[in-house]
Amino acid sequence: MNEIFYNSTRGQDNKVSASQAIINGLAGDGGLYVPDKMPELKLDFEEIKDLSYQELACRILSAFLTDFSRQEIEYCVHSAYDQKFDCPEIAPTVKRGDSYYLELFHGSTIAFKDMALSILPYLMKVAAKKQQIKDTILILTATSGDTGKAALEGFSDVEGIEIVVFYPKDGVSKIQERQMITSAGKNTLVVGIDGNFDDAQTGVKQIFGDAAFRADLATAGYRLSSANSINIGRLLPQIVYYIYSYAQLVRQGHIQSGELIDFAVPTGNFGNILAGHYAKRLGTPINKLICCSNDNKVLYDFINSGRYDIGRDFKLTISPSMDILVSSNLERFIYELSDNDSNQVKTYMNQLAETGSYQIPISKLDQDLVGGYATEQETLDTIKRVFEQDDYVLDPHTAVAKAVYDKYWLQAKPKHCAVIVSTASPYKFTNSVIEAMGYQFTDDEFGLIDKLHQISDIPIPPAVDQIAQRPVLHNYQSSKEEIKQFLYHQKRRGTL
Ligand SMILES: *Cc1c(COP(=O)(O)O)cnc(C)c1O
């Protein structure tokens, strides 16, 4: 039995089982859980190419979640990847013009967060049963837009779990807000915070760090957990679509099994691209992983200099899900680059917390990682050009990756075929997409949904169809100082 355990990147919370790591979310010492070794999966793409997404997901997840039974994995996979996705492939790889795109936006909230947040609730439910946790799991999530709705959908009416999402009242798009406040699950609560995303995030973090409040919740039968990408249960399901995409290219005859390919990944928190790196370590023939940033190009600077430095202005861009300075999943990669030396990782993370930067020896950097970035103008130009040339509409995040890849292609003239990882439907960002195409409308964002449909002829996804007409089911508001009181109040009322 090739059992896999999970170790903390900070070295004080090691050898926990997969189910324990998923329940804990963050390791007890503040680090992130990483698998103690990569499972040995002899990937034979001539065979894998005929597997369904679900079959492949079962195979990959069984190799990592070694304390889950085959039936439990199948239950999770089949509950997650079903008709909630609008195509049987779940994550199709399509060719448009000369480019391949791995479309990760066919789930219920039309952003790639669905790939992991559709399955995390089931993994958590099974893990809680395994760990004999009788308490109700209370998920608290602060969101800047995409994660909140994907988590609300994923956890909707999952037994034994309740979820509260805090979003900045004036910091998300109208479409994103409407998606959240029309959420129907009986176990969901959505709260607008008067403040920005950082305020919401800080409020939630304070609750996690508040021992008295946690004890009080425990008496009432609640246990806190998190749905953000620090949870290993979000990272592992993302490995599947890299392997699946490679297999689809083999199946469609675009590449021979064994041929190397590149992936260009629009990156924020470094979760998606890290899953690609794990897919490579498992034996997928990946040559370069191209880490694509917008104007918040901390990762680009890091990859090219070894210096991670957040001492800079935070820029609001048209690809908001990549507006991030502290990429939390990078810690897992740094751990690997430091030869699993948790003391070294702790030193870097302390330096980051205290001085806002750290420097790793540039020689340590993985030669297979390429960093690039695209400006706002390059991103807009790319949306327009791809629409005109290839009749394909990119959302602004995917457009960053396409712009970066095209620059890389001109400079490096790579021999391998490349897949652009496509993280959101353009319907989620109608304003910027329509502006990029050169149209000017005075409609609000809801009105622009129909306009985009007229221009592009892409069917309107159920996620946003008639969204302006849906009943608003959540109108809770809280000040950033009162998040805790708010939760107490709801508990007394029996809403939680
Ligand atoms: C979250 C998100 C990203 C960034 O992914 P990371 O895993 O945080 O690097 C990119 N695009 C979209 C649309 C997203 O929602």
Side-chain angles (χ1 to χ4, degrees), residues 21-41:
I22 289 170
I23 291 288
N24 292 356
L26 197 64
D29 56 6
L32 306 188
Y33 289 116
V34 287
D36 64 350
K37 58 178 178 294
M38 280 289 145
E40 279 180 37
L41 275 174

Side-chain angles (χ1 to χ4, degrees), residues 204-250:
V204 169
K205 275 197 184 146
Q206 278 167 357
I207 293 175
F208 273 93
D210 187 334
F213 186 67
R214 291 178 80 119
D216 207 30
L217 279 177
T219 332
Y222 285 97
R223 178 193 178 105
L224 291 181
S225 190
S226 155
N228 58 38
S229 68
I230 50 177
N231 197 317
I232 192 78
R234 264 191 69 176
L235 191 60
L236 301 177
Q238 297 181 169
I239 299 172
V240 177
Y241 51 72
Y242 284 94
I243 302 177
Y244 187 70
S245 181
Y246 188 91
Q248 293 307 297
L249 290 179
V250 174

Side-chain angles (χ1 to χ4, degrees), residues 111-113 146-147 229 234 238 266-273 321-322 324 329 395 397-398 423-424 429:
F112 104 96
K113 303 291 192 290
D146 284 342
T147 295
S229 68
R234 264 191 69 176
Q238 297 181 169
T267 299
N269 231 343
F270 209 77
N272 198 355
I273 195 166
S321 302
M322 295 157 67
I324 194 156
N329 275 293
D395 95 282
H397 303 78
T398 310
T423 49
F429 303 95

